[in-house]
Amino acid sequence: MTRKPRREVSRTLTTAAAVAAAGGLLVPLGASGTAEAASFKKADDGASIASYKWLNKGKTAFDFTVDSPALGAKRNVRVLLPKGWKYSSPKAWPVVYAFHGGNDTYVSWTRSTDIQAVASKWGAMVVMPEGSNGSYTNWFNYGKGGRPRWEDFHMKEVRQLVERNYHAGASRAVMGISSGAQGACTYAGRYPGTFRFAGCFSGVLSMSMPGIPALLLYTNMRSGTDPNAIWGVPRVHQANWDAHDPVKLLSKVRGTKFYVSVGNGEPGPFDAPGTKPWDLGYLSEKAINPTVQDFVKRARQLHVPITAHMYGPGRHSWPYWKREMHTAWPQIMQSIGAKPVR
């Protein structure tokens, strides 16, 4: 069960256009009260920043809401800012995009890990967009396409908005857990050269291995959702499955280093005593493990730089992913050229 995030100190601000229409000024993020009014730039498809709110008094973290044509809805993004970041400065910062898992939201990384404390020690931004249960893909919809287009939301709208408005730079890393890990490794292959590093923790990285299509369809059998609309019907629409399969995209990767990790689905050090062997967290990790091994094998065949941490006992849960984030973080920072904060 997802825990509710702790209460946040926030102040919602409307976009510059709305404030200007009311005869007021929009104070830029991080600027003083005497700053000039600012306007937010849109993404290529017209996606815009509808609002934002600060999450702490120190103004080192904020949420903003995207009015998204790709989704036909408004969705949120959480951002952690590095020390020295200024709205008025043209300096571009290295950035880490962090994706959550299925049945969770954009707040999960700050809710379930200490990523804010970890990131505060480095000169890099962290961007955590909503992924809902969209499986990090533009839905196939039996060949008709259309909404939701989650890949476009992440790789075009969110990326363009943070780069054009909040000084996110072109030195990028991506990481994710569970379905977000699958998304991180998929995007690295579908957008060659975009990311210098991809950290994928407990994600399905070989989608067509025996039993995996059925697992993916089962996990997406939610009320009101046709799981076959996501990638299509296995085998019938195999070309679309292959076009989004991390292992089959490895040959397209350019300039990305990988860190992948997974447990073996056996009781581990972070599991509650008495957890049953048939616990879903154990069963999920046991099924995912061979897909990660297949990905590692293929990456090494192609001489794609990869660090693999098959850490043995452990279930599909946040305590292990938090540990993996800590382990991978120095590599991520080195890859994107982020410097420690003095």
Side-chain angles (χ1 to χ4, degrees):
M1 181 179 293
T2 300
R3 294 185 291 110
K4 293 183 179 180
R6 64 181 182 275
R7 184 177 181 181
E8 298 160 336
V9 179
S10 64
R11 181 165 62 94
T12 301
L13 299 175
T14 59
T15 58
V19 177
L25 295 178
L26 173 68
V27 179
L29 292 176
S32 69
T34 59
E36 296 179 356
S39 62
F40 292 119
K41 298 177 181 177
K42 295 183 178 182
D44 290 348
D45 69 351
S48 61
I49 297 173
S51 63
Y52 69 83
K53 62 180 180 180
W54 291 109
L55 302 182
N56 54 19
K57 293 181 179 179
K59 294 187 177 181
T60 58
F62 68 96
D63 291 347
F64 72 92
T65 300
V66 180
D67 193 348
S68 168
L71 302 177
K74 292 180 179 180
R75 291 292 183 266
N76 296 322
V77 182
R78 178 158 292 183
V79 180
L80 307 180
L81 297 172
K83 183 179 180 180
W85 181 96
K86 293 181 179 180
Y87 186 91
S88 58
S89 170
K91 178 179 178 178
W93 293 86
V95 59
V96 180
Y97 292 87
F99 298 150
H100 65 76
N103 298 311
D104 215 330
T105 73
Y106 72 104
V107 307
S108 67
W109 276 99
T110 52
R111 181 203 67 222
S112 297
T113 77
D114 57 347
I115 191 171
Q116 191 161 357
V118 172
S120 68
K121 300 175 183 178
W122 294 86
M125 295 176 62
V126 181
V127 176
M128 297 161 281
E130 178 66 55
S132 189
N133 288 305
S135 299
Y136 296 89
T137 186
N138 292 346
W139 284 28
F140 187 61
N141 290 322
Y142 296 93
K144 297 179 181 178
R147 296 167 177 159
R149 300 195 306 274
W150 283 102
E151 181 177 310
D152 287 353
F153 176 69
H154 295 133
M155 295 303 299
K156 296 177 182 179
E157 294 179 346
V158 171
R159 184 173 65 81
Q160 290 171 4
L161 289 173
V162 295
E163 289 180 0
R164 294 174 183 179
N165 296 286
Y166 299 134
H167 310 306
S171 184
R172 311 178 193 92
V174 62
M175 68 178 185
I177 59 97
S178 193
S179 65
Q182 181 179 333
C185 279
T186 298
Y187 290 167
R190 287 180 61 80
Y191 296 84
T194 298
F195 300 108
R196 298 185 182 184
F197 189 97
C200 309
F201 314 142
S202 298
V204 171
L205 303 185
S206 186
M207 291 170 61
S208 294
M209 290 190 73
I212 296 302
L215 173 66
L216 291 171
L217 293 177
Y218 173 77
T219 57
N220 284 289
M221 289 181 64
R222 297 176 295 274
S223 178
T225 297
D226 175 4
N228 287 313
I230 301 175
W231 297 287
V233 179
R235 296 189 180 181
V236 175
H237 302 119
Q238 192 61 41
N240 194 60
W241 279 74
D242 291 347
H244 297 86
D245 191 338
V247 72
K248 293 178 180 177
L249 290 166
L250 273 169
S251 61
K252 301 180 182 296
V253 169
R254 297 289 182 273
T256 304
K257 297 179 180 179
F258 288 88
Y259 178 100
V260 300
S261 64
V262 68
N264 63 10
E266 298 295 332
F270 300 125
D271 302 337
T275 304
K276 303 300 182 182
W278 53 85
D279 176 83
L280 184 59
Y282 290 142
L283 298 177
S284 298
E285 202 74 354
K286 195 180 294 289
I288 290 168
N289 184 289
T291 77
V292 178
Q293 294 192 47
D294 192 46
F295 184 88
V296 173
K297 178 181 178 181
R298 182 58 177 158
R300 288 174 175 164
Q301 289 174 344
L302 294 172
H303 305 290
V304 174
I306 188 168
T307 298
H309 187 202
M310 309 297 182
Y311 49 82
R315 65 193 293 275
H316 201 69
S317 60
W318 272 107
Y320 297 97
W321 303 329
K322 177 181 176 180
R323 182 183 67 184
E324 293 307 298
M325 181 265 290
H326 276 263
T327 302
W329 196 261
Q331 294 185 41
I332 298 174
M333 295 297 98
Q334 182 181 24
S335 296
I336 61 177
K339 304 299 181 183
V341 173
R342 296 180 180 179

